[in-house]
Amino acid sequence: MPTVDRVLSDETGAERTGAKPPAPARSEPKVSVIVPALNEARNLPHVFARLPQVDEIVLVDGGSTDDTVAVARRLRADIRIVRQNRRGKGNALACGFAAATGDIIVMIDADGSTDPLEIPSFVETLRSGADFAKGSRFQPTGGSADITRLRRAGNKCLSMLVNLLFGTRYSDLCYGYNAFWARHLDVFDLDSTSPPPNSTDGRLWGDGFEIETLLNLRAARAQLEIVEVPSFEHSRIHGVSNLNAFTDGMRVLRTIAREWPRRRDTIRVAERQVR
């Protein structure tokens, strides 16, 4: 027999139902944090201890041989674990983005170099009107305890090249602390489903550290509202970085070359539409 809510009377004699009122509509955007990780078991306790209140944490494991996944689950019972299907940070992020359910997606590193306490600044920037909140170590109050002179010089030269070719004003092209509204995910056109290719490194283009440049260039090409957020980069706590200044710098340069023709095609389409 179905249950019928009782009708009660309050002190004024007005009728009211015994059912609970509907929950108020959610006014705050749901925030998903994506954490690519490969053998970061020793760093996760520090990173997770500094995480502010967020709605979802997606850890993307790159085939760790240590206790990365077990440590993550012990630290956060609500964490979601995703296994990436190819190799590299770019592929890890693509898989994490595809799995995220939040309105806002934030990408941080698992080695402690990006400070989780800065997440509210990125979220507030998006809530204030930005489509893409881009971390920068070279904005006032930003900085780095990790970047070498060679990487700093290379980053500056690459940023100047992109600003010239793409009409942007980036101060820090090669930094991986970013956040964006999930509704813009299609803009980045990332592949999270294809199996590893028959290549020497088992990666598609964009699967490596060039992902940061790729995101920045495609955000600019789509004419998203991009706002740089000052950020301080800390030194990795434990372990050794997989980044190579020369080889990854060359991948960034190749990314710029590959994306530039697509930028020109977009401009031509826009000009035809104006005419």
Side-chain angles (χ1 to χ4, degrees):
M1 181 176 180
T3 302
V4 178
D5 292 331
R6 293 186 301 117
V7 176
L8 309 175
S9 298
D10 60 19
E11 294 178 354
T12 63
E15 292 184 342
R16 60 183 178 87
T17 178
K20 291 183 179 180
R26 183 186 179 94
S27 58
E28 298 294 324
K30 182 178 179 180
V31 178
S32 296
V33 176
I34 313 302
V35 189
L38 176 61
N39 296 328
E40 300 288 3
R42 291 195 296 167
N43 292 322
L44 289 182
H46 171 84
V47 173
F48 284 10
R50 294 176 67 82
L51 271 172
Q53 181 64 43
V54 296
D55 300 281
E56 180 179 58
I57 304 173
V58 180
L59 184 134
V60 186
D61 181 58
S64 298
T65 56
D66 66 0
D67 294 331
T68 291
V69 173
V71 169
R73 285 178 170 151
R74 184 174 71 246
L75 293 171
R76 296 293 297 247
D78 60 339
I79 197 166
R80 295 183 60 201
I81 304 295
V82 173
R83 311 278 182 173
Q84 67 180 99
N85 62 336
R86 296 191 298 275
R87 297 178 57 249
K89 182 180 181 180
N91 173 245
L93 286 172
C95 292
F97 295 165
T101 62
D103 305 299
I104 288 175
I105 297 176
V106 184
M107 41 192 282
I108 66 171
D109 292 334
D111 60 7
S113 59
T114 53
D115 190 349
L117 290 178
E118 294 178 357
I119 289 176
S121 297
F122 285 83
V123 172
E124 183 55 35
T125 298
L126 295 174
R127 295 192 63 193
S128 296
D131 298 314
F132 188 84
K134 183 191 175 311
S136 173
R137 296 162 290 184
F138 307 125
Q139 286 287 333
T141 72
S144 176
D146 182 64
I147 194 170
T148 63
R149 289 184 178 180
L150 177 62
R151 287 171 52 206
R152 183 186 294 270
N155 191 358
K156 182 175 181 180
C157 291
L158 291 169
S159 297
M160 291 174 62
L161 177 62
V162 164
N163 290 341
L164 177 65
L165 295 178
F166 287 80
T168 53
R169 293 186 295 177
Y170 291 144
S171 65
D172 191 357
L173 181 68
C174 306
Y175 188 45
Y177 203 166
N178 302 303
F180 57 90
W181 289 100
R183 62 177 177 265
H184 298 306
L185 187 56
D186 288 347
V187 161
F188 304 116
D189 192 25
L190 302 180
D191 186 331
S192 62
T193 59
S194 296
N198 295 321
S199 62
T200 56
D201 64 359
R203 294 186 293 182
L204 298 177
W205 194 259
D207 281 354
F209 285 106
E210 71 275 7
I211 183 62
E212 291 140 10
T213 298
L214 193 66
L215 294 175
N216 292 331
L217 297 187
R218 291 184 178 176
R221 193 180 70 229
Q223 299 183 344
L224 298 187
E225 180 68 25
I226 303 168
V227 177
E228 290 195 328
V229 178
S231 177
F232 189 89
E233 179 186 38
H234 299 269
S235 298
R236 164 183 278 273
I237 303 170
H238 299 289
V240 179
S241 173
N242 293 316
L243 188 147
N244 181 289
F246 178 76
T247 58
D248 288 307
M250 291 302 297
R251 289 183 73 89
V252 168
L253 192 58
R254 286 179 62 192
T255 300
I256 296 170
R258 290 168 66 111
E259 291 297 308
W260 169 236
R262 298 177 66 180
R263 167 66 174 172
R264 286 181 292 177
D265 290 343
T266 301
I267 292 175
R268 292 192 188 103
V269 170
E271 289 175 345
R272 287 197 297 269
Q273 290 175 343
V274 170
R275 294 194 189 113

